[in-house]
């Protein structure tokens, strides 16, 4: 197995390779405005670091979010393109699950990322491997009672200390965590039936909207 993982659902543009036993290369850069520019160079770096070419990849996994519309699509379209070109399966994974996995926490806890608009994308876990609530998008104050007393990881938790007073690392998802989680899931079920489809998880309408009452120009 050589699994390529990518995620662009958060400001982190991240890629990693996993050989079925361990992560063999990873690259992450935090830049919320340059997902499209940074992802392919990140993939090139991890391939070079591992000393392999793209055609050695046997499966691709992509973070499906939740995340902002434009950035999220960069990773998913790239993953789908690689899968089609290589003729290999493409699996989706919830980005919040990758953060949960990387946290290493075993008791109940919360993962929260920045959803902008003074909201967070969040989910609740009873271990690093099992999500029990969400993902959802809400204003932090509206979920304060539901997450009270729980540790929280992710950039969203760090932004709102009143709701998440016990905020912890990691701040952003890493493709290395997604790759490790995917490798474990594939070891348990090689069919990949338990993965969500590699489709974007938006949870709300995109920020960009078609202008209303725009002038229609018709040919003369």
């Amino acid at each position: 197995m050589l699994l390529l993982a990518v995620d662009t659902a958060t400001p982190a543009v991240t890629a990693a390779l996993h050989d079925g036993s361990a992560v063999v290369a990873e690259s992450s850069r935090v830049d919320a405005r340059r997902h499209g520019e940074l992802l392919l160079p990140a993939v090139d770096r991890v391939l070079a670091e591992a000393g392999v070419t793209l055609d050695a990849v046997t499966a691709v996994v992509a973070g499906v979010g939740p995340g902002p519309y434009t950035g999220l699509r960069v990773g998913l379209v790239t993953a789908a393109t690689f899968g089609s070109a290589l003729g290999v399966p493409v699996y989706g994974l919830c980005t919040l699950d990758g953060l949960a996995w990387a946290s290493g926490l075993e008791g109940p806890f919360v993962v929260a990322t920045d959803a902008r608009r003074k909201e967070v994308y969040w989910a609740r876990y009873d271990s690093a491997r099992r999500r029990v609530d969400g993902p959802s998008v809400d204003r932090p104050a509206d979920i304060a009672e539901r997450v009270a007393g729980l540790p929280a990881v992710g950039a969203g938790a760090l932004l709102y200390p009143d709701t998440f007073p016990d905020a912890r690392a990691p701040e952003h998802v890493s493709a290395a965590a997604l790759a490790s989680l995917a490798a474990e899931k594939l070891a348990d079920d090689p069919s990949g039936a338990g993965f969500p489809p590699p489709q974007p998880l938006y949870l709300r309408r995109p920020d960009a909207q078609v202008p209303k009452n725009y002038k229609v120009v018709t040919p003369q």
Side-chain angles (χ1 to χ4, degrees), residues 8-11 31-33 35 67-72 113-121 137-140 156 159-160 204 207-208:
T8 57
T10 74
D31 190 328
R33 297 180 180 275
H35 293 87
Y69 182 85
T70 303
L72 179 54
T113 60
D114 182 15
R116 304 173 186 172
R117 304 184 191 175
K118 298 182 180 180
E119 295 179 329
V120 292
Y121 297 118
V137 59
D138 290 287
R139 290 182 177 271
L159 280 172
Y160 301 100
R204 68 184 185 200
D207 293 329

Side-chain angles (χ1 to χ4, degrees), residues 79-143:
T81 301
F82 285 155
S84 178
L86 298 172
V88 301
V90 180
Y91 305 109
L93 272 181
C94 177
T95 297
L96 303 183
D97 291 355
L99 275 160
W101 172 272
S103 75
L105 296 173
E106 291 302 327
F109 66 97
V110 176
V111 173
T113 60
D114 182 15
R116 304 173 186 172
R117 304 184 191 175
K118 298 182 180 180
E119 295 179 329
V120 292
Y121 297 118
W122 69 282
R124 189 161 53 89
Y125 295 78
D126 66 4
S127 75
R129 295 169 177 79
R130 198 166 85 99
R131 176 166 24 104
V132 294
D133 189 9
S136 304
V137 59
D138 290 287
R139 290 182 177 271
D142 293 340
I143 60 171

Side-chain angles (χ1 to χ4, degrees), residues 61-74:
V61 61
V64 301
Y69 182 85
T70 303
L72 179 54
R73 289 178 65 86
V74 169

